[in-house]
Amino acid sequence: MASARDGGGMWRPCPFEHAANINTLAMDSSRNMEIIEDLDNFTVAKNYYLKMGKPWKRGYLIYGPSGPGKSTLIACMANLVKYHVFELDLTTICNNSELRTLLVCKIHYCD
């Protein structure tokens, strides 16, 4: 049954398994190290964020045409920090308010 807690039933479990490894990703090695260091620093900084009164979150903007490996990069990053990946079809969202409600419900649901 759909509820507000699961975003009105729009979230569905989707197994995510990807063999991608950030150390073998075809990427400039200095950029690769930047990403690894940033993720390593972020994952160990949870207490710092709490102490500073800031939300413990990290965002990346990855853009470009289809095919160069954006999804593979995300898979590599998720595998590195052992995080879940959620895919959302934005064509099912009618407005910003609905998207915000959906995301907030999922964030609290995962805690």
Side-chain angles (χ1 to χ4, degrees):
M1 171 178 260
S3 70
R5 185 155 175 80
D6 71 358
M10 295 180 74
W11 289 105
R12 302 272 190 268
C14 180
F16 177 78
E17 293 182 18
H18 200 294
N21 180 311
I22 200 155
N23 293 311
T24 59
L25 188 63
M27 178 191 303
D28 177 79
S29 60
S30 63
R31 179 68 61 183
N32 189 321
M33 285 308 300
E34 282 181 45
I35 292 170
I36 292 171
E37 288 175 14
D38 183 64
L39 289 170
D40 286 344
N41 290 335
F42 173 70
T43 56
V44 299
K46 187 172 186 175
N47 288 334
Y48 170 78
Y49 280 76
L50 291 171
K51 186 170 101 176
M52 299 305 289
K54 296 186 179 223
W56 186 60
K57 61 183 178 178
R58 172 62 86 230
Y60 292 89
L61 174 61
I62 303 170
Y63 63 93
S66 298
K70 296 180 300 293
S71 296
T72 301
L73 174 59
I74 292 167
C76 290
M77 293 166 73
N79 285 338
L80 179 69
V81 294
K82 297 175 178 46
Y83 281 4
H84 297 288
V85 172
F86 296 91
E87 182 175 7
L88 176 62
D89 180 1
L90 293 177
T91 62
T92 64
I93 307 301
C94 296
N95 56 51
N96 286 342
S97 178
E98 189 176 314
L99 176 61
R100 187 177 302 112
T101 299
L102 184 63
L103 293 175
V104 169
C105 289
K106 188 59 186 174
I107 290 167
H108 292 301
Y109 184 70
C110 289
D111 289 345

